[in-house]
Amino acid sequence: MTTMTTTRARETLTREAGNFIRAFAGSFWRNFAISLLVALVVSGITAFAARAELRIRIDEGVMEPVPIAIPDFVAATGNNDVATGLAEVIRGNLERSGLFRPLDPRSFIETTTDINSAPRFGDWRIIQAAALVNGQVTMQDDGRLRVEFRLWDVYAEQQMVGLQFFTTPENWRRVGHLISDAIYERLTGESGYFDTRIVFVSEQGPKTNRVKRLTIMDQDGFNPQFLTNGRYLVLTPRFNPTAQTITFMSYLNERPRVYIFDLETGREEILEGFTGMTFAPRFSPDGNNVVMSMARDGNSDIYLMDLRTRQTRRITSDPSIDTAPSFSPDGTQITFESDRGGSQQLYVMNADGSNPRRISFGEGRYATPVWSPRGDLIAFTKMSGGSFGIGVMRPDGTGERMLTRSFLDEGPTWSPNGRVILFTRQAPNGPTYVYSIDLTGRNERRLLTPGEASDPAWSPLIK
Amino acid sequence: MSDTVGPLPDDAPYRGLTVSAILHAGIIVLTLITWPRFMDIPEPPVELPVELLPVSDETNIIPMEKLEDIRPPEPEPATEPEPEPRVAVAEPQPEPEPAPIEEVPPPPTPNTEPAPEEDLTTPTPEEAPVEEVTPREKPRPPAPPAEEPDRRSEDDIIAGLTDLEDEDRPRDRAPEERTAPADRTTQGVGAQTGLTVSEIDSFKQQIAPCWNVPAGSRNPEELVVTLRVRLNRDGSLAGMPEYEDIGRVSSSGPAYRAAAESARRAVIQCAPYTLPADRYDSWQEIVLDFDPAAMAGR
């Protein structure tokens, strides 16, 4: 029995041991295989990681004007005035933008004599020019002026853009603006705004007897022309999308009404069909409609007039003051100011008047909202704490940011690229001028106007 | 014997069971033990970066001056428009009739389309001299061993330039001081970059003054530009920085291209760079992500 037991036990033991060894062996090999695999993967990852490239995130830089060298253009046929003038126009434009720092020509080492050969880049790097503009003016046999230029990346030693223009000689300033736009666009990636005009109300004479005339000029202050004779008051001029027509409000014949003015023909026309006083007009993005306010019996509402059919349509019908309408660039929405909530605030509604919603919620009152041409922001005037400022916010009301503040800043208008804002600034008991401010809140400057000025409107890019 | 033949003692089966249980438990235990052991073998010597950071390194870098995002309080300064001459300019225009637009035959005639850089090397049939030139070849002397002399001359120029730079750039103040603290750190550690956080910070500070951030763009978060930069041992560029995604640069529109070129200019302009010489292997090639989003809101 003992033997049996022992034998059985031994058998059992042997079987179990075999199982164990088999199991162990199985588990060993399985483990070994898995471990080998793991080892390979891990060592592979390690090796990869060890050789992983050094990757660095650069999230800090400067916001400084780009140093750019713009030598006088080469006068191939002796048109020295134009050649010098073109470089001056371009330098002035780029400098005023605040994004460029044209370098003093006296610091230039290389004298450009032939724009069709590559510059000596080293000479320009020494004076720290990041970009170089070489240009040439040639009077052609057909009496036209040929202006060509090249923009060079001094550090990469590459041409960034090269263009030529043909024009009548007296039109050379405009070519300067077009070249400025090309340079601006290439270096900033945004469209330029130099080949544009600004319409505004120029103010002359003593405060008691002000002569206010509608005036138009190039964006850099040149070629100012009076559009009205100053015998009646004009306010809030606005361009249509082709910069050919202006709509404004005037007190002609003591009737405050909205007019349109054709720049080409000089023809002025009242937008009839309203029973009350009309004001605060603005074109729709397609140029076919004018949206404006009409006041009657102490109530102001927003109306739309189709310029082709002269049909009018009422957009708002709230018993409060709704005014200062401005279309979104896609034409689907309108921002406006209203006191329907008890105080003067900004609203956005669909272009047909549906779904109005308040977007301004800060302290103070808000007025004159203007939708940016690039659609991302709405500029406005804000009154709070006894002073006025120009600010921007997103169309949903978020991201409010004040750009200026003073005794009286009001009436913003956008540059066609949505980058710069013009506004009227009046000093206490002082003069009234138009100022510009960059969207970043930098580069505040006074616009070059002949005398005092207010109510600016920036034209779209002239096509 | 007959009496021995009979049912096994009650405990017999249990003995077997016990042995079996013990052995099975042993196997399980062994398996549990061997598993982690095997797993252990290839464990790489990962070290926590935290242990490797000398505290002093974090703070000895002169920070870039943060730009105040508000313009000078006084609005007046830069604007002294002389109204007088302007009016004078206005007067010569006799009639206020707004005919100017008529008179303006759009000057941008024939080929006003922005000529891409490539066009320059291939003269186009059009009468545009602008396009005929092949200027890009010219600056490069046709040196036989192509790369070397060319690169060196460029480096010399760039190196000479940086010497002339104004002193207010942080890296020009005390190069030794900036690298010194980093030298006591260990090699090949941290995130396997081979550079400590402070060294990376130092490098960032060297580039920052040259990088003009595309400000005020609509979508700065879409303007991240990645450049691959190869460096020589002396910290100078070993060639033109390359875009990681050249296709994106050429096809993403003017804003991205402007951002990309501005980043590339920064890398070229601020070379040569001061980096720990003993770890050249780890930084001879660097990938840089230029991210304007953090600056854009300012």
Side-chain angles (χ1 to χ4, degrees):
Chain A
M1 178 187 135
T2 338
T3 323
M4 264 303 268
T5 316
T6 322
T7 311
R8 284 188 74 109
R10 200 185 300 130
E11 274 171 13
T12 313
L13 190 67
T14 312
R15 195 167 59 241
E16 289 300 331
N19 282 347
F20 170 73
I21 289 166
R22 262 196 305 280
F24 177 80
S27 113
F28 176 84
W29 285 114
R30 194 165 60 237
N31 275 348
F32 183 78
I34 291 170
S35 304
L36 198 68
L37 198 72
V38 170
L40 280 172
V41 170
V42 171
S43 63
I45 290 169
T46 316
F48 179 79
R51 209 174 302 151
E53 57 202 11
L54 176 53
R55 195 171 189 118
I56 300 178
R57 181 167 166 266
I58 307 293
D59 52 8
E60 208 167 301
V62 293
M63 286 196 194
E64 281 172 2
V66 176
I68 185 169
I70 308 166
D72 287 347
F73 280 21
V74 176
T77 48
N79 303 76
N80 287 308
D81 291 353
V82 175
T84 313
L86 275 167
E88 277 169 8
V89 166
I90 298 165
R91 280 184 218 127
N93 280 340
L94 295 181
E95 196 276 328
R96 277 189 303 277
S97 78
L99 300 182
F100 297 92
R101 178 165 57 89
L103 299 169
D104 185 345
R106 286 172 300 183
S107 68
F108 297 169
I109 300 164
E110 184 185 29
T111 307
T112 305
T113 51
D114 176 14
I115 74 152
N116 293 328
S117 60
R120 291 198 304 271
F121 294 106
D123 284 0
W124 299 101
R125 277 197 292 259
I126 286 174
I127 61 166
Q128 300 197 12
L132 166 69
V133 179
N134 278 341
Q136 179 168 288
V137 179
T138 314
M139 180 64 84
Q140 300 194 127
D141 293 337
D142 63 4
R144 289 195 306 166
L145 210 57
R146 188 177 81 213
V147 181
E148 52 205 305
F149 83 97
R150 294 170 187 278
L151 170 66
W152 296 92
D153 185 327
V154 171
Y155 286 100
E157 306 196 349
Q158 285 175 4
Q159 178 175 310
M160 302 179 82
V161 66
L163 295 175
Q164 60 178 350
F165 301 89
F166 299 89
T167 183
T168 52
E170 62 272 20
N171 206 19
W172 63 269
R173 284 195 74 89
R174 182 155 180 221
V175 175
H177 296 314
L178 288 164
I179 294 175
S180 305
D181 280 334
I183 295 168
Y184 181 97
E185 182 159 350
R186 191 62 183 75
L187 286 172
T188 68
E190 297 179 53
S191 61
Y193 55 83
F194 301 116
D195 185 31
T196 54
R197 297 199 286 174
I198 292 165
V199 64
F200 59 96
V201 177
S202 68
E203 306 189 11
Q204 283 164 339
K207 287 264 185 232
T208 49
N209 187 22
R210 271 278 149 127
V211 179
K212 294 192 173 193
R213 282 184 286 190
L214 202 57
T215 311
I216 191 168
M217 66 177 193
D218 292 352
Q219 142 287 134
D220 62 350
F222 276 77
N223 301 324
Q225 294 172 23
F226 295 126
L227 302 179
T228 56
N229 56 22
R231 283 197 290 271
Y232 49 92
L233 188 65
V234 284
L235 288 171
T236 64
R238 311 290 179 218
F239 277 102
N240 80 337
T242 61
Q244 299 285 336
T245 310
I246 292 168
T247 181
F248 59 93
M249 188 260 215
S250 170
Y251 280 85
L252 184 64
N253 304 327
E254 306 304 322
R255 283 179 69 207
R257 287 288 188 276
V258 167
Y259 290 74
I260 56 173
F261 184 99
D262 190 311
L263 284 170
E264 227 166 303
T265 62
R267 215 164 71 93
E268 196 176 270
E269 182 190 353
I270 189 167
L271 292 185
E272 293 284 7
F274 293 98
T275 48
M277 161 179 145
T278 50
F279 57 101
R282 213 179 270 276
F283 282 97
S284 61
D286 62 8
N288 292 329
N289 300 281
V290 172
V291 64
M292 68 191 101
S293 298
M294 183 181 75
R296 195 177 46 180
D297 308 330
N299 178 27
S300 289
D301 277 312
I302 293 169
Y303 286 77
L304 192 71
M305 173 178 265
D306 189 320
L307 294 175
R308 297 159 300 186
T309 63
R310 301 289 158 144
Q311 297 285 312
T312 61
R313 189 148 54 91
R314 186 170 178 171
I315 306 289
T316 67
S317 50
D318 200 89
S320 57
I321 295 173
D322 298 333
T323 184
S326 169
F327 270 99
S328 63
D330 63 4
T332 61
Q333 297 183 90
I334 295 172
T335 180
F336 63 103
E337 70 176 66
S338 172
D339 62 357
R340 58 181 65 188
S343 74
Q344 202 176 346
Q345 299 290 343
L346 306 185
Y347 290 77
V348 168
M349 62 184 172
N350 296 337
D352 62 1
S354 62
N355 190 24
R357 56 233 181 243
R358 180 171 161 182
I359 62 165
S360 64
F361 292 96
E363 249 177 61
R365 293 178 296 136
Y366 295 77
T368 65
V370 192
W371 217 301
S372 153
R374 68 184 194 192
D376 57 338
L377 293 169
I378 290 172
F380 54 84
T381 306
K382 184 176 181 177
M383 296 143 276
S384 68
S387 66
F388 285 63
I390 304 296
V392 293
M393 65 171 68
R394 287 192 279 269
D396 62 1
T398 61
E400 178 177 332
R401 200 151 53 87
M402 294 309 294
L403 305 177
T404 77
R405 181 153 288 284
S406 86
F407 170 72
L408 179 51
D409 286 353
E410 62 178 350
T413 176
W414 290 93
S415 64
N417 67 351
R419 183 60 207 248
V420 184
I421 293 173
L422 294 178
F423 59 95
T424 306
R425 167 170 291 173
Q426 187 180 346
N429 299 315
T432 304
Y433 283 113
V434 173
Y435 280 76
S436 67
I437 184 87
D438 191 85
L439 190 51
T440 57
R442 300 158 195 265
N443 196 37
E444 184 175 284
R445 288 165 190 253
R446 203 175 97 189
L447 189 69
L448 304 173
T449 50
E452 289 187 48
S454 62
D455 262 359
W458 208 318
S459 83
L461 276 175
I462 301 163
K463 293 285 171 358
Chain B
M1 288 299 278
S2 64
D3 58 336
T4 56
V5 181
L8 282 168
D10 282 340
D11 60 341
Y14 295 107
R15 230 187 3 236
L17 207 73
T18 313
V19 171
S20 170
I22 291 170
L23 286 174
H24 273 99
I27 289 163
I28 291 167
V29 167
L30 275 171
T31 317
L32 286 173
I33 293 167
T34 50
W35 250 109
R37 274 289 174 77
F38 284 127
M39 296 292 282
D40 275 349
I41 295 166
E43 190 84 53
V46 173
E47 293 163 56
L48 288 176
V50 183
E51 300 161 13
L52 307 159
L53 288 180
V55 177
S56 61
D57 284 359
E58 291 289 347
T59 49
N60 67 343
I61 291 160
I62 301 128
M64 286 289 304
E65 38 165 16
K66 306 273 189 222
L67 294 164
E68 301 303 321
D69 67 335
I70 305 301
R71 53 258 106 74
E74 278 316 297
E76 290 298 313
T79 51
E80 293 314 322
E82 343 69 26
E84 268 45 73
R86 298 247 162 270
V87 180
V89 174
E91 299 319 336
Q93 313 269 13
E95 37 16 341
E97 279 331 307
I101 290 180
E102 287 260 74
E103 296 163 8
V104 183
T109 21
N111 33 3
T112 45
E113 84 281 60
E117 285 146 31
E118 293 77 24
D119 290 7
L120 288 176
T121 46
T122 51
T124 44
E126 294 146 15
E127 15 76 276
V130 177
E131 324 245 334
E132 280 170 80
V133 208
T134 61
R136 217 186 322 167
E137 265 106 62
K138 289 185 186 168
R140 312 263 166 182
E147 296 266 350
E148 286 301 319
D150 188 22
R151 185 198 302 160
R152 225 179 290 126
S153 65
E154 189 183 353
D155 293 340
D156 288 348
I157 295 166
I158 294 168
L161 265 179
T162 43
D163 289 341
L164 293 169
E165 307 266 0
D166 36 326
E167 310 79 337
D168 58 10
R169 287 165 48 171
R171 66 198 196 89
D172 292 336
R173 289 211 185 111
E176 306 84 358
E177 264 189 85
R178 267 184 299 106
T179 43
D183 286 340
R184 8 183 201 94
T185 57
T186 29
Q187 277 194 0
V189 292
Q192 258 100 22
T193 60
L195 293 185
T196 62
V197 168
S198 55
E199 284 162 342
I200 288 174
D201 236 25
S202 154
F203 179 79
K204 288 165 75 167
Q205 294 294 330
Q206 292 177 56
I207 281 204
C210 291
W211 184 38
N212 224 318
V213 182
S217 331
R218 191 176 351 182
N219 299 315
E221 64 280 358
E222 290 172 9
L223 298 180
V224 178
V225 176
T226 304
L227 280 170
R228 184 171 292 271
V229 181
R230 290 177 186 82
L231 296 168
N232 296 317
R233 271 183 193 282
D234 62 359
S236 60
L237 294 180
M240 182 73 92
E242 289 169 19
Y243 300 120
E244 278 287 86
D245 192 349
I246 184 72
R248 190 173 172 200
V249 176
S250 51
S251 65
S252 292
Y256 191 80
R257 183 162 68 155
E261 286 170 344
S262 139
R264 186 176 64 178
R265 264 198 301 280
V267 176
I268 302 172
Q269 193 181 349
C270 264
Y273 299 96
T274 308
L275 286 157
D278 55 330
R279 269 162 287 146
Y280 174 58
D281 280 354
S282 57
W283 53 260
Q284 62 174 325
E285 188 168 319
I286 310 181
V287 177
L288 300 177
D289 295 308
F290 285 82
D291 185 355
M295 290 281 293
R298 293 201 194 162

